[in-house]
Amino acid sequence: MGFEGRSVVSIKDFTREELDYILDVAEAMEPLYDKGSDMLRGKVLALLFFEPSTRTRLSFEVAMKKLGGATIGFAKPEATSVMKGENLADTIRVVENYADAIVLRHPREGSARLAAEFSKKPIINAGSGAEEHPTQAMLDLYTVRRERGRIDGLNIGLMGDLRYGRTVHSLAYALSLYKVRLYLISPPELRMRREVLEEIEGKIPVVEVSDLSEVLPELDVLYVTRIQKERFADPLEYERVKGSYRVDLKALEGAKEGLIILHPLPRVDEIAPEVDNTPYARYFRQVRSGVVVRMALLALILGAVR
Ligand code: NCD
């Protein structure tokens, strides 16, 4: 379908057909999660992480290795020439000589787009400030499809920091390509960004509320996010919203049977640990999906699967 050599900067660059195809390839990767494969032998993936990460970095690394490829990179820019003042464009023009594709996480919005303009090798955006996190959205779609059997026809709630959370921005764009009803649940201060609303309203029905209890009985999927403390310009603004929502067993009374709860992780305090052992909780299974989806994406971009 023409994925070879392609960058993944924004989820908006993908059609529904393309996303469905990536999910199909991810499903086909499931047996290789245990067995492994040699399909990317000789290929090198660079992982450039200018911001903290556990899952995204490790899951790209393990996805590449399960397919027989190698990884290089850094998780702390403090140990690199960035500290000597090297700019992102120069870093990319150097690293493209070492790697067949580059995974980039950077605090600046627009960083992945800029890198893709300079790079001869595909850039995979692993988080560009508060803007987007497209591969997370792909694994979120995959998890919904896997756990609920489909995406069309579902009522999906996105809850938490919809203002600064990049995963919910990418996921909202992606879901607007499906036949879903979207419920946006957040404190008024953390409402979904206007630019995202403008893009999705008109494509799918969108309902904004400030409290989970207003919409809980409608929901088939509840996607919870943490407050993105590090993105607040004003620490007092963070103090005002801190702890303003929490999903616990009591908050889930009246939920539909079959509701699933997802979370990109890391969790802070927005889902009580008592929820972990309920059938609703799927956030740790979601982590496994991240590996097969990234295996699929790497195999497609590096030309091992067409
Ligand atoms: C998310 C991120 O980095 O945006 N983490 C992840 O990649 N799973 C979510 C978050 O940090 O809250």
Side-chain angles (χ1 to χ4, degrees):
M1 210 186 251
F3 287 100
E4 188 173 356
R6 188 163 158 188
S7 288
V8 180
V9 171
S10 167
I11 199 82
K12 287 187 279 181
D13 299 337
F14 291 82
T15 64
R16 168 164 178 169
E17 288 65 38
E18 289 173 332
L19 291 177
D20 284 340
Y21 186 64
I22 293 167
L23 306 193
D24 291 343
V25 174
E27 209 172 293
M29 288 288 168
E30 289 279 354
L32 303 185
Y33 181 93
D34 293 321
K35 276 200 315 219
S37 154
D38 261 353
M39 67 171 83
L40 293 182
R41 189 170 28 200
K43 300 284 186 190
V44 176
L45 180 67
L47 303 164
L48 309 187
F49 279 72
F50 292 84
E51 275 193 341
S53 170
T54 304
R55 275 149 295 273
T56 306
R57 189 169 56 83
L58 293 181
S59 69
F60 268 113
E61 185 167 343
V62 77
M64 189 65 182
K65 288 180 174 164
K66 280 181 188 287
L67 297 179
T71 61
I72 57 170
F74 56 81
K76 277 206 201 117
E78 293 81 357
T80 69
S81 287
V82 172
M83 286 320 274
K84 301 180 188 168
E86 183 166 68
N87 66 33
L88 181 60
D90 284 2
T91 302
I92 294 295
R93 282 181 291 199
V94 169
V95 173
E96 69 182 9
N97 295 285
Y98 307 142
D100 299 287
I102 300 171
V103 178
L104 175 70
R105 169 171 288 190
H106 197 281
R108 264 209 318 273
E109 302 196 6
S111 51
R113 182 74 65 195
L114 176 102
E117 273 161 22
F118 281 96
S119 181
K120 294 190 192 72
K121 302 287 171 59
I123 297 288
I124 303 175
N125 181 5
S128 46
E131 178 189 38
E132 275 216 55
H133 192 347
T135 68
Q136 177 73 40
M138 290 171 186
L139 82 90
D140 296 337
L141 291 179
Y142 183 77
T143 310
V144 172
R145 195 174 89 168
R146 189 182 154 89
E147 301 290 329
R148 297 295 313 234
R150 66 198 161 96
I151 299 170
D152 286 325
L154 297 178
N155 291 343
I156 301 183
L158 305 185
M159 175 172 173
D161 187 347
L162 309 184
R163 180 169 170 198
Y164 297 113
R166 55 192 171 200
T167 69
V168 280
H169 299 154
S170 292
L171 184 55
Y173 291 133
L175 288 171
S176 73
L177 303 176
Y178 292 83
K179 292 185 179 60
V180 299
R181 181 180 282 273
L182 203 57
Y183 295 84
L184 303 176
I185 309 150
S186 71
E189 299 87 343
L190 301 179
R191 280 181 58 189
M192 182 57 91
R193 281 187 176 198
R194 182 110 320 263
E195 72 198 63
V196 178
L197 285 174
E198 277 165 10
E199 179 81 23
I200 64 173
E201 278 174 340
K203 294 187 181 155
I204 52 168
V206 177
V207 180
E208 285 188 277
V209 297
S210 55
D211 203 275
L212 177 63
S213 62
E214 296 172 60
V215 295
L216 178 72
E218 312 291 329
L219 300 182
D220 301 301
V221 177
L222 174 61
Y223 186 94
V224 186
T225 63
R226 75 179 169 96
I227 298 184
Q228 308 281 303
K229 181 179 179 186
E230 68 277 25
R231 310 235 182 263
F232 284 72
D234 176 0
L236 286 176
E237 193 195 0
Y238 170 71
E239 288 302 320
R240 271 198 295 277
V241 289
K242 192 175 87 178
S244 57
Y245 57 91
R246 182 172 166 91
V247 178
D248 54 18
L249 291 181
K250 186 150 184 352
L252 290 171
E253 279 169 18
K256 253 192 207 178
E257 197 182 320
L259 168 75
I260 60 167
I261 300 179
L262 306 183
H263 191 307
L265 302 177
R267 154 174 64 179
V268 183
D269 58 3
E270 58 284 347
I271 300 181
E274 64 189 18
V275 178
D276 297 359
N277 298 322
T278 67
Y280 303 128
R282 304 293 163 98
Y283 26 91
F284 289 112
R285 293 187 19 193
Q286 197 177 351
V287 175
R288 185 188 196 276
S289 301
V291 179
V292 288
V293 168
R294 289 177 173 124
M295 287 165 77
L297 207 53
L298 293 172
L300 287 164
I301 289 172
L302 296 173
V305 171
R306 275 165 214 282

